[in-house]
Amino acid sequence: MIRQAEVRDAKEIQSIAEITWKHTYKRLYSMDVIENFLQKAYEIERLKKSIQICSERNDCGFIVAEDEGQCIGFAQAVPYLDGLELSRIYILPDSQRKGLGQLLVNKIIDIAKAANKPHLYVYVEKENEDARAFYEREGFHTIDEIEDSALGVKSTLVKCQKQIS
């Protein structure tokens, strides 16, 4: 089931982020870089604030995928240019490749349509081939590449866009 995230979900979202980041990015970043990022980006009070803001606005979304009452994935989209940016989407490794990513993206598209946003954007690590293949299957097209050092190390991000209206 896909539903709006609630403040009470913050701890589970934090746990999903920790597990998926360590699984997904272990070949791209050192564990120190991953830990440092997780500590900052997924701090509980910061997560709660993001969830609260998105619950009060129609031009962003923070959603979770649930199975038997447990959160197993989440996605967040925020206003960006003429659309929304899919800024976070993570699913526990054991729950991947079961269609949940597509369900999360589709729900974010519904949010974008309701907010009259014609595009959905996402940035993905160039070397993250699984994620890039997923976004291509979902109809995203590469529109740019940028050099990034937000994590304290140099990397290349691919900017992708999906027309949704």
Side-chain angles (χ1 to χ4, degrees):
M1 170 173 106
I2 306 298
R3 65 168 174 80
Q4 171 68 37
E6 298 174 9
V7 171
R8 66 179 170 85
D9 299 318
K11 193 71 176 157
E12 284 184 282
I13 290 167
Q14 182 187 54
S15 177
I16 293 166
E18 183 176 340
I19 292 165
T20 57
W21 261 79
K22 289 177 179 178
H23 175 80
T24 303
Y25 297 111
K26 64 185 172 200
R27 293 172 312 215
L28 301 176
Y29 299 114
S30 71
M31 200 52 65
D32 287 344
V33 168
I34 292 170
E35 291 282 351
N36 188 44
F37 174 78
L38 289 169
Q39 189 173 37
K40 292 177 184 173
Y42 289 92
E43 188 272 325
I44 287 294
E45 292 306 315
R46 188 173 180 175
L47 272 177
K48 287 179 179 179
K49 186 174 182 179
S50 292
I51 292 166
Q52 185 65 40
I53 288 169
C54 284
S55 72
E56 296 169 353
R57 296 177 56 162
N58 74 340
D59 64 345
C60 69
F62 207 134
I63 57 177
V64 294
E66 241 182 7
D67 185 32
E68 297 182 9
Q70 296 292 324
C71 292
I72 58 173
F74 67 92
Q76 182 181 14
V78 296
Y80 181 76
L81 301 174
D82 62 343
L84 296 181
E85 177 190 350
L86 182 58
S87 57
R88 309 178 202 214
I89 181 169
Y90 294 101
I91 298 166
L92 290 173
D94 292 345
S95 298
Q96 293 176 6
R97 303 192 189 283
K98 297 178 181 178
L100 288 174
Q102 184 178 43
L103 291 174
L104 288 167
V105 169
N106 287 342
K107 181 63 176 172
I108 293 295
I109 289 170
D110 291 344
I111 292 166
K113 285 179 179 178
N116 295 312
K117 301 290 186 179
H119 295 102
L120 187 57
Y121 298 90
V122 68
Y123 287 89
V124 62
E125 291 286 343
K126 185 175 183 176
E127 294 180 32
N128 189 344
E129 295 174 6
D130 289 344
R132 291 183 64 198
F134 167 76
Y135 292 121
E136 286 176 17
R137 286 191 305 275
E138 294 303 309
F140 286 83
H141 303 284
T142 298
I143 59 172
D144 200 6
E145 281 188 19
I146 63 164
E147 294 300 315
D148 183 64
S149 59
L151 297 177
V153 293
K154 188 176 175 181
S155 66
T156 302
L157 299 177
V158 176
K159 179 180 179 182
C160 302
Q161 177 188 50
K162 178 180 174 76
Q163 178 82 29
I164 55 173
S165 62

